Structure formats: C-alpha cells, structure tokens
C-alpha cells in the first residue's frame, strides 16, 4: 500500500498540483478571507484598521420582521376609507424615530398583505438584498428547467445522421463562444424600447397591433427579458453536454428497441432517458450554479434597475464590495450565497443519488 | 537615404546624451486612453516640460476613463502608485483621506485666478488642481423660446421654478418635440449626482449635511428634499421627460429635434451649435435657494507614495500655463480654468460661442460634497433618483438613502470629519 501511495500518487499529485495551487490561491484563500472579513468592518479604501464586529453584517443583511397595523379610524371609530380601501398609517411613520419600537429604526417595507381589517407589513433591514434573493431564485427556478430542457431538445435534434448537421451544431453553439458582455450589449439594442429589433419585429408581425415595450426599462418585463436572453446564450453549452451523453448510449440498445418495435416515445423513455441519468445530474447542477452567479447581464444591461426588479445576489456583492467600497458587506453576501448554493447542491445530489 | 540615416543616428545620439544626465523619472497616470486628441495634448505638455529643465522627466501611462479609478484603487492596495495622479474632483477627498495623495505644494499666487471648482481642497489643504472645469446648461433654441413665448432667462435673472415648469408645459402642449426635456437619464453613473444633485441643492436640500458631513438626516430627507423628490417624479409622471432613455437619444436627440430642452454639459455644446444656428445655453432654474450647477472636473495631484513631490509639483505648476489650458479647451471643448486662458480660446473668449459656460461655472458652480464619503453617497443618490424617476415612493426612497449614507458614515468613523 505504501508503495502505491508513493509511486502511483506521485504522478497524480504532479498533475493535480498546478490546479490545486491555482484553486487554493485564487478561490480557497480569497474565500477564507471573505469569511473572515464578513465578521469585521473591513473597507476597500480606508485608513482605519478593520475591527471585529461579530454578526453585525449578517444581522444588517438578513434581519426581517413583521408589523401588523390596524387601519386608521375617524372620531366615530369607523375605518377611514381612501380610494376604496382602508387607509393605513404609513410604514415610515411607524419605523422612523418611533420611541415605542427602536428596533424597527432603519427597516423598510418589503411587501405587505391584508387580512380582515388589519394589514401585515413584512419589514426588512435590507430590502434591496431581499429583492436580490427573490430575483435570483426566480432566475434559477426558470432557467434551470427551461435551459436544460431546451438544450436536451436541441441535442436530440442535432444527434442525427443528416447531411450538414455540423452547420446546425455550430449555429446552436455559437452564442456560447461570444463573451457574455458582448451578448449583453447586443441584446440591449434588441430590447431597446424605441427602435429595438424585438419591438420592430413584433410590430411588423402584428401589423403594429403590439405596442412598443421598453423591455429593460419596465420593472415587469426587465427580469423576464434577461432570463430569455440568458437561456438563449448558454443553451448551446448544455446542448453539447447532452450530446456527449447521448453518444455514450450504445447503438445496440436502439437496434434492439427497433427490432422490438418500440415507438419513438418508448425509445426515449426507456433507452435514451435512463442512459442520460448522470448527464442530467451534471447539467442540472451546473446550470443551477451558473444561474446563481448571474452578474454580467445585470451589470451591462440594467444595473439592477428599474426599481430593483433585476437586482441579484452577485450583483449586490460586487456593487457593495467594490462600488461602495464596503468589502465586509460584499463578503457577507458572498458567504450567504455560498451557503445557499452549497445547500442546494447537496439537496440535488441527495435527490439524484443512485438508489441501489 | 544615407543622409537621413545619419541624421537619425545623430538625433538618437543627442537624445541619448540628453537623457543620460541625472534626470529623475516621474511617472504619471492619466484617464484619457482612447481619446487621441486628449493624448496628444497631454503628450505635448509632458514633452515641453521634459525639454524645459534637466531635473525631471515625466513618463505618462494612460488608462481608459472607465477603468481609471479602479486602477488607482488597485494600484494603491498593491502599494504601486505613480508620482503624479489624475483625479476626478469629487473623488479627491476619498483618496486624500485614504492616504493615496499628499498635499500639493505649489505657488498659491499661480492659482489665484482659477475657477473655484478647479481647486481640490480637503481639510484646509490644496491636494489637486484642475486645468479645466465643466458646466451644465439648459440647452435650447432661440426659435423655440420665441415660438413658446418664453422669457430668455439670464444669469442674473434665471427662470424660477414656476417659469421653468411653465416652459415645459408649453413645450409639451406645442407638440413641436417628442419630449419637452432631455435630462440625460441614459448617462448612468456620476452624471446623476453631478447633473441632478444641483436641483436638490437649489431646492434647499443636499446629499449630505455640509455643516458637519456626519449625517444626511434632514438634508436628503428633509422637507426641501421631499419637495425636490416630488418635483423630480412629476417630470416623468407628467410626461415631460423619459425615465429610461435610449443612449442614442441622449447623444443625438436634441440635435435631431426630438427634445425642446436639453440639460447638457459644455462638452456637447459644439455639436449642438453645429446642428442649429440659434442654440442658446440657459442658466439653471432657481428652485428657491439660488440656481446651482455642478463644478469640478478632472484634476492633477501628487500621490502619497511619491519620493519626489517637488518634481511632481513642478510639473503640475508647469502644466497650469494659460497656453495649455487654452489648448485643452480648444481640443476637447472644456472650460479653461482662468479668464486669461479663456481669452486665448476661440469659444470661451468674451463674446465667444461658449463664453456663457465660463460665467455659469464661476457664478452657479457648486462642488459636490467635499467628503471622503462622497464616493458612496454618489452611488446612493444615483439609485434614489433613478428609483424615484421610475415611480418609487419619494419619502420612503429618500429615507432609505439617508439611512444608507448614515450607516456608511458610521462604518467609517465619520470619515475623519
């Protein structure tokens, strides 16, 4: 055993060495620093030495509470109705400099819901981060299945012996080769609210019936626009992974299936899909992790706006750590993101484990 | 051919001989990479300086403007800054406070005539000095003013808020332009605090309380600021301006007749003059506390790490000559820092086409808050203004911005104020 460890592993360590060094130097070490910084008030530019602040950064980031308020009543005790709905005191009057609730100072309304006469406000200390969390999860939940499914469809399409199939493979893969920053810049023109390609196209197809939409400038369409463009950009990459998976499936299985008289669906259901099991796990985990890292599109196309509709976790981490020179705040967000991605990956691995 | 080679060899030999003397090399970082005219101008100043004496030799390293500030911060963290730094005026206090820069020791009498916005003063000391300033004006056409029956505002008698809103209402009603006002919403980043915080200041608010620089409470969320916010939002809800603007419309919209009024800087003025022959540059409206526009542009200073601050100061002093100020102005349309330099320029000389900008800069210019925290405050202000334009609740947005600025000041132990 000893000789095996020394001899066989020497080559192994030599091969792994460079990547271990690079990963340690550029990923592990900075990440350990991030964990350390998240417990201090470290700044990017400052003559002040960093101080240990405990969990203050995490509290600032994640503090959420609820506040239930009763509608305003007039002198006779009847509920004041304004614009057809009961009037509630403004959140601002309850949170700012409220001597009864000093703990609410600095908190803002995230969202609210009504039940009966009263209304419950969910307050967050960092509303922008909460919105970034929600947006990122929406992005992941839409992109992971849609992109994975589309990529599989494309892979099945191009996994055929047809004349000139390589042309199609190239076309579908092309967006992956182009830098995401360039793609984002191009799509900004496509989504332009005035004379963008998409608006012109929709206008022409509908003979002008579809009004022009400012895709990136409208809070209700901005995130959707970025999701669509992101799916298009990276679908080719996952198509190639699916394709490699498809080509590992033995042709004899398909032959056997054909002899047995299996329909197309049966072939897919009982030969292709089981053969793609491991590929599916890989694609799902890779898409999920990539989707959580959404940054370049946001930075180039919207900057998180309008009205925080496209804020994301990584964008916030960069914006704070670098833009606002708050390394400790950015580090805290990075650590939170790490915990989220790690937990989800572990859950995915557990759900897709080999059941023997 | 041989003669030419010989001459070249001789020239090379003499230049070699020249540099072989005990010249101390000074490095300089500049933000103008990619702008050929600017590169040529700064190159000429450096060449003249190097030829003028034998003690110092300045070497230039240029960065694209978009990457310049990041490069300086990264260079400082790595302990690798040049001798002479180029710094955007409002950023200077941050860099001075952080220990990137040292006070600039130059002859005070040389800058006595300089526009106030070009002097970078922090903690009572001069850290940087600019060769030029920038100013913003309400650009329109005389024919538009006449057609709408509007009074032409002057520096002494700018439009009041009511007159300005009346002008926008008339412009919108006339239908001559697609939008009454082009604010430049497409130019995100520093344009927002530079161009829009003067409106807030004219209302009587500010990004931060300038008496202490320790809080934004009352300044950014007081009654004046709320009034500013409501007015700002009304520009978009009433359809006078676009909350999201196509970048191409910002660059060419006014010149194409899409907007009746454009809130734009002197650097765009030559283009407008070329498009229309009756362009007029109007002063900022007075919203109650005097008309205000932003001041301070790029400036030169000495890095803290420099071993030769006297050499760096000598170069900066050399660069402050009127002829260079005028050359930069003629080359890239900036406002020369002194009246005597302005007189040497084509456009800013008294009676020149852009002379009004010189007066705007000296009469209405207000520097952005002089505090190391400005870098963060500018970002917070930008987001608040953009959110309000997009329909966010004014009071809640300004309160949140105030809280964020105050938390940042606290996190930095008051930024040394």
């Amino acid at each position: 055993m000893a000789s095996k460890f020394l001899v066989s592993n020497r080559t192994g360590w030599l091969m792994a060495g460079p990547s271990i060094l690079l990963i340690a130097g550029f990923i592990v070490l900075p990440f350990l620093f991030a964990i350390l910084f998240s417990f201090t008030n470290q700044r990017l530019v400052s003559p002040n030495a960093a101080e240990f602040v405990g969990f203050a950064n995490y509290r600032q980031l994640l503090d959420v509470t609820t506040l239930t308020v009763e509608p305003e009543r007039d002198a006779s005790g009847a509920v004041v109705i304004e614009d057809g709905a009961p009037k509630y005191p403004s959140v601002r009057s309850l949170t700012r400099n409220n001597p009864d609730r000093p703990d609410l100072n600095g908190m803002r309304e995230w969202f609210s819901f009504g039940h009966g006469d009263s209304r419950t406000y969910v307050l967050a200390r960092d509303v922008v981060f909460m919105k970034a969390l929600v947006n990122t999860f929406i992005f992941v939940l839409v992109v992971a299945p849609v992109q994975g499914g589309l990529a599989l469809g494309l892979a099945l399409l191009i996994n055929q012996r047809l004349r000139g199939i390589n042309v199609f493979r190239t076309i579908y893969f092309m967006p992956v080769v182009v830098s995401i920053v360039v793609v984002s810049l191009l799509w900004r023109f496509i989504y332009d609210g005035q004379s963008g390609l998409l608006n012109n196209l929709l206008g022409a197809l509908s003979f002008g019936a579809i009004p022009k939409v400012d895709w990136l400038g409208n809070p209700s369409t901005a995130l959707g626009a970025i999701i669509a463009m992101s799916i298009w950009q990276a679908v080719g990459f996952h198509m190639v992974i699916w394709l490699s998976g498809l080509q590992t499936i033995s042709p004899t299985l398909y032959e056997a299936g054909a002899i047995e008289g299996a329909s197309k669906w049966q072939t897919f259901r009982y030969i292709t899909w089981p053969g793609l099991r491991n590929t599916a796990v890989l694609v799902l985990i890779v898409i999920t992790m990539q989707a959580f890292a959404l940054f370049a599109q946001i930075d180039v196309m919207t900057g998180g706006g309008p009205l925080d509709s496209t804020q994301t976790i990584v964008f916030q981490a960069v914006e704070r750590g670098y833009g606002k020179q708050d390394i400790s705040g950015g580090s805290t967000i990075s650590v939170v993101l790490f915990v989220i991605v790690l937990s989800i990956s572990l859950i995915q691995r557990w759900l897709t484990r080999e059941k023997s | 051919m041989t003669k030419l080679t010989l001459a070249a060899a001789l020239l090379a030999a003499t230049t070699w001989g020249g540099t072989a003397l005990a010249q101390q090399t000074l490095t300089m970082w500049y933000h103008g990479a990619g702008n050929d005219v600017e590169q040529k101008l700064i190159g000429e100043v450096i060449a003249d300086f190097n030829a003028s004496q034998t003690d110092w030799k300045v070497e230039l390293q240029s960065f694209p403007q978009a990457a310049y500030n990041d490069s300086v911060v990264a260079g400082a963290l790595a302990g690798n800054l040049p001798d002479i730094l180029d710094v955007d005026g409002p950023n200077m206090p941050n860099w001075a406070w952080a220990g990137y820069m040292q006070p600039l020791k130059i002859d005070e009498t040389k800058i006595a005539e300089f526009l106030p916005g070009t002097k970078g003063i922090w903690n009572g000391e001069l850290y940087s000095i600019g060769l030029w300033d920038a100013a913003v004006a309400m650009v329109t056409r005389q024919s538009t003013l006449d057609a709408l029956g509007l009074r032409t505002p002057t520096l002494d008698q700018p439009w009041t808020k009511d007159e300005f809103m009346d002008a926008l209402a008339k412009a919108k009603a006339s239908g001559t332009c697609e939008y009454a006002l082009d604010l430049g919403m497409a130019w995100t980043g520093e344009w927002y605090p530079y161009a829009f915080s003067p409106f807030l200041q004219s209302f009587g608010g500010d990004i931060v309380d300038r008496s202490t620089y320790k809080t934004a409470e009352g300044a950014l969320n007081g009654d004046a600021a709320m009034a500013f916010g409501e007015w700002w939002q009304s520009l978009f809800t009433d359809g006078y301006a676009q909350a999201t603007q196509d970048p191409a419309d910002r660059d060419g919209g006014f010149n194409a007749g899409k907007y009746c009024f454009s809130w734009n800087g002197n650097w765009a003025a030559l283009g407008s003059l070329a498009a229309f022959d009756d362009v007029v540059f109007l002063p900022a409206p007075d919203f109650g506390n005097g008309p205000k526009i932003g001041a301070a542009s790029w400036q030169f200073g000495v890095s803290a790490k420099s071993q030769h601050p006297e050499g760096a100061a000598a170069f900066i002093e050399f660069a402050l000559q009127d002829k260079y100020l005028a050359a930069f102005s003629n080359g890239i349309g900036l406002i020369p820092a002194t009246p005597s330099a302005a007189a040497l320029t084509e456009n800013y000389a008294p009676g020149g086409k852009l002379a009004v900008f010189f007066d705007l800069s000296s009469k209405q210019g207000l520097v952005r808050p002089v505090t190391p925290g400005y870098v963060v405050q500018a970002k917070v202000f930008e987001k608040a203004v953009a959110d309000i334009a997009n329909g966010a609740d004014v009071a809640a947005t300004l309160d949140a911005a105030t809280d964020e600025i105050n938390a940042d000041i606290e996190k930095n132990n008051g930024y040394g104020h």
Side-chain angles (χ1 to χ4, degrees), chain A residues 76-134:
Chain A
S76 63
V79 173
V80 180
I81 302 290
E82 202 182 66
D83 300 331
K87 185 169 184 282
Y88 296 93
S90 76
V91 177
R92 183 175 187 254
S93 66
L94 298 168
T95 57
R96 285 189 79 80
N97 309 322
N98 180 352
D100 301 333
R101 296 292 301 272
D103 58 311
L104 295 182
N105 207 11
M107 298 193 90
R108 282 170 70 204
E109 177 185 344
W110 179 13
F111 59 90
S112 67
F113 51 90
H115 44 90
D117 261 355
S118 60
R119 188 155 197 89
T120 299
Y121 292 98
V122 177
L123 307 175
R125 202 161 287 284
D126 195 332
V127 176
V128 177
F129 180 70
M130 290 302 150
K131 289 181 179 166
L133 265 183
V134 172

Side-chain angles (χ1 to χ4, degrees), chain A residues 43-48 57 92 96 106 108 128 192 194 214 217 306-308 319 322-326 328, chain B residues 70 77 94 97-98 100 217 221 226 244 246 376 383 387 390 392 399-400 403-404 408 411-413 415:
Chain A
R43 310 285 302 181
L44 178 69
V45 171
S46 172
N48 304 332
N57 286 319
R92 183 175 187 254
R96 285 189 79 80
R108 282 170 70 204
V128 177
D192 190 293
Q194 301 288 318
D214 187 0
L307 292 181
D308 297 327
E319 174 71 6
Y322 212 72
K324 293 182 181 161
Q325 307 190 340
D326 181 4
S328 63
Chain B
D70 294 348
L77 290 175
N94 188 264
W97 167 75
Y100 295 2
E217 188 79 38
N221 64 349
M226 293 299 169
T244 50
D246 193 322
V376 177
K383 180 169 155 42
D387 283 353
N390 280 312
D399 277 340
D403 287 346
E404 193 176 349
D408 177 68
K411 215 168 182 176
N412 286 282
N413 306 327
Y415 279 117

Side-chain angles (χ1 to χ4, degrees), chain B residues 270 326-327 329-331 336 341-355:
Chain B
L270 290 175
S329 173
N330 286 334
L344 297 177
T345 66
E346 186 191 331
N347 294 317
Y348 291 95
K353 284 183 285 188
L354 304 180

Side-chain angles (χ1 to χ4, degrees), chain B residues 192-234:
Chain B
Y192 275 54
Y194 171 68
F196 306 147
S197 72
F199 294 142
L200 167 65
Q201 287 142 3
S202 187
F203 267 93
D206 210 332
I207 296 178
V208 62
D209 182 348
R210 291 198 196 209
S211 60
T212 62
Y213 285 112
K214 282 188 183 300
T215 180
E217 188 79 38
L220 188 52
N221 64 349
D223 293 339
M226 293 299 169
F228 156 78
E230 298 293 347
W231 165 80
W232 177 251
Q233 195 161 51
S234 76

